[in-house]
Amino acid sequence: MTDRYPPRSLAGLSVLLQAGALDPRTLAEETLDAIRRHDDPSIFVALTAERAMAEAEAASARIRSGRSLGLLDGIPIAWKDLFDLEGMPTTAGSVILADARPAASDAAVVAALRQAGMVAVGRVNMSEFAFSGLGINPHYGTPRNPASADAARLPGGSSSGSAAAVASGLVPVSIGTDTGGSVRIPAAFTGIVGYKASRGRYSMKGVFPLATSLDSLGPLCRSAQDAIWIDAAMRGATPSPARSIALSDISLVVPQTVVFEDCEEEVVVAFEATIARLEKAGVRVRRQPIPAFAEIFEVMGKRGPLVTAEAFALHHERLAGPAAGTIDRRVVARLRLGEKITLVDYLETLAERERLTAEVESMIGPNEIIAYPTVSHVAPLTAPLLEDDDLFVKTNFKTLRNTMIGNFLDFCGVSIPCGKGSAGLPVGFLLSGVRHNDDHLMKTSLALEETIRGAD
């Protein structure tokens, strides 16, 4: 936004819009202008100015005549470049899809939020084909992390543009996808909130896939309340203020397996300080080993990751043709690893996934929430990772490690900023629920958010 309309949450904008203190047309105009004037042109890959102004005009007319569609009517939103927008090609962060046939209709979740009155202002950048947790894109540029004050640092991926757009104050919300951490990682790196839903909570129609057995969706926004409103609208429900729960009724489980290994000291300090605040506020906390977390990586090491097998199956024809020379070399290298994964390996991994998921669910109480650092380190410097592919591979795995556990076990998860780490960069506090426990997770996040954020 401009100086007149500084960064706000969905809730704050909604109050102004519904009261008539801010007109949706003015908000859309100033949002588009701020995007055009922003000093990082790699955040957005395309603006939908004509559509945005038409949607804003319609929202303005509804609100002025007392026919508002609800709390989200007239609020700007940006879409990761994986979601179909009618009349535009869906490029998935890749130049080889730039000439693809324009989408005949909006993706299902785009249509749902359009029906809630939201104003689509553009498509945001991402890791090519969503296949990285860091956010590098050699074609459309790599967005800068707005939280970094010392040097250019990565915003996290693959929803890099989504995080940068929200953290920069350009839009209050952007919708991303999460296959191994691609909503929660960039939220943690940039100091905003990111919610990854359980698979199946939203329709995937019109969303370019990476690995269908792992893909999920979710918003990057400024607060847990914002995420709750967006979640409801994405499911076609009416957004409403969520009922919180008492802190004394909340129980957290802190795993003692894998997630703290090789963690930066400042990340652990920020996490433990947050746990101390929560316990002081009355939250129950217990710590226990969860052996299945380690077994996940043993299965991956033996049989290969599910994401690699499914991504290779999706892109194998591109890899066999001239298009491979145009795709980011780092993405090509990861995709080709899938060629070594046999059908037996793949099916055995699916079976192990069911076993390990059931095992973890048996260890977690009906309303318990799992808590650990979203990422084991703060946002890394960009330049070294552009220059050193071996460092890229190592850092990418380390970045994805904690969040990919949740994708494998089909957790739902919310990353909330909990303090600062090295270089004054944000640290993410990840709350996760077992599959389809999204509603309880969101209520818990709402209740804990203020304490998790502390003085930040």
Side-chain angles (χ1 to χ4, degrees):
M1 315 291 176
T2 65
D3 292 339
R4 183 180 174 193
Y5 297 120
R8 301 184 187 94
S9 66
L10 289 174
L13 285 171
S14 181
V15 170
L16 295 173
L17 290 166
Q18 296 300 315
L22 174 60
D23 189 281
R25 295 168 298 183
T26 302
L27 180 57
E29 288 170 351
E30 296 206 351
T31 298
L32 291 166
D33 185 53
I35 294 168
R36 294 186 184 107
R37 292 188 296 103
H38 196 268
D39 63 1
D40 187 356
S42 62
I43 296 176
F44 279 78
V45 296
L47 293 184
T48 53
E50 184 176 342
R51 171 174 177 160
M53 293 313 301
E55 291 176 342
E57 175 64 44
S60 178
R62 286 191 298 266
I63 293 171
R64 283 185 281 115
S65 63
R67 297 181 294 106
S68 172
L69 294 176
L71 297 170
L72 300 177
D73 207 359
I75 294 180
I77 185 169
W79 292 93
K80 185 177 181 178
D81 190 26
L82 282 179
F83 293 90
D84 283 352
L85 296 178
E86 183 178 356
M88 301 179 70
T90 303
T91 53
S94 178
V95 293
I96 67 173
L97 297 178
D99 295 326
R101 179 179 299 176
S105 60
D106 287 341
V109 291
V110 175
L113 292 186
R114 184 189 70 236
Q115 289 161 9
M118 299 200 79
V119 175
V121 297
R123 314 178 73 106
V124 284
N125 204 349
M126 55 180 285
S127 306
E128 188 169 12
F129 296 134
F131 208 17
S132 163
L134 297 176
I136 291 172
N137 188 305
H139 312 301
Y140 299 105
T142 298
R144 297 192 302 272
N145 188 329
S148 176
D150 61 344
R153 291 179 181 266
L154 292 175
S158 60
S159 306
S160 54
S162 293
V166 174
S168 296
L170 296 174
V171 291
V173 62
S174 180
I175 308 302
T177 59
D178 192 311
T179 305
S182 291
V183 164
R184 293 158 294 159
I185 290 167
F189 276 178
T190 60
I192 60 175
V193 171
Y195 162 50
K196 165 224 175 304
S198 300
R199 281 185 311 125
R201 189 167 176 85
Y202 315 123
S203 171
M204 299 296 290
K205 183 179 179 182
V207 183
F208 194 95
L210 174 59
T212 55
S213 72
L214 299 166
D215 291 344
S216 59
L217 310 178
L220 295 96
C221 49
R222 306 193 73 83
S223 71
Q225 180 67 79
D226 287 359
I228 289 169
W229 284 11
I230 292 291
D231 166 66
M234 286 174 70
R235 293 181 287 115
T238 301
S240 59
R243 293 182 179 179
S244 188
I245 52 180
L247 297 188
S248 58
D249 291 335
I250 296 174
S251 179
L252 301 182
V253 179
V254 178
Q256 300 298 285
T257 310
V258 174
V259 295
F260 291 99
E261 292 176 8
D262 198 26
C263 257
E264 290 181 351
E265 181 180 356
E266 295 90 344
V267 169
V268 176
V269 168
F271 177 85
E272 292 297 345
T274 305
I275 288 292
R277 290 196 300 272
L278 292 169
E279 288 183 309
K280 185 177 180 180
V283 176
R284 299 187 302 277
V285 177
R286 67 182 180 89
R287 300 172 188 260
Q288 74 169 71
I290 303 183
F293 282 16
E295 289 188 60
I296 290 170
F297 295 97
E298 292 171 5
V299 170
M300 290 183 185
K302 181 178 180 181
R303 303 197 178 277
L306 283 175
V307 63
T308 307
E310 294 186 15
F312 175 75
L314 178 66
H315 293 288
H316 71 279
E317 291 185 0
R318 293 188 179 98
L319 294 176
T326 309
I327 301 171
D328 180 356
R329 67 182 188 277
R330 307 166 192 85
V331 172
V332 169
R334 286 190 74 194
L335 288 171
R336 291 197 189 283
L337 294 174
E339 191 170 14
K340 303 175 183 178
I341 300 173
T342 68
L343 178 60
V344 171
D345 288 330
Y346 178 71
L347 294 176
E348 286 290 334
T349 299
L350 291 177
E352 287 291 278
R353 183 188 191 189
E354 284 301 312
R355 178 183 69 81
L356 293 171
T357 299
E359 180 180 312
V360 172
E361 289 178 351
S362 72
M363 302 174 69
I364 306 300
N367 286 316
E368 287 188 318
I369 296 296
I370 301 165
Y372 55 84
T374 310
V375 188
S376 64
H377 57 90
V378 297
L381 293 167
T382 300
L385 291 162
L386 293 176
E387 298 164 0
D388 187 335
D389 285 2
D390 289 337
L391 179 63
F392 172 90
V393 170
K394 180 180 178 181
T395 305
N396 190 54
F397 175 78
K398 184 178 179 181
T399 299
L400 288 161
R401 185 195 66 194
N402 283 6
T403 52
M404 72 168 63
I405 292 170
N407 295 86
F408 191 90
L409 300 173
D410 202 11
F411 288 169
C412 46
V414 178
S415 181
I416 298 173
C418 69
K420 305 293 184 183
S422 60
L425 292 162
V427 173
F429 189 97
L430 181 60
L431 296 169
S432 299
V434 298
R435 54 185 167 181
H436 308 310
N437 203 24
D438 297 68
D439 290 342
H440 179 67
L441 171 68
M442 298 309 292
K443 291 177 183 177
T444 302
S445 301
L446 185 64
L448 296 183
E449 182 173 17
E450 184 176 354
T451 306
I452 290 173
R453 287 179 179 270
D456 186 21

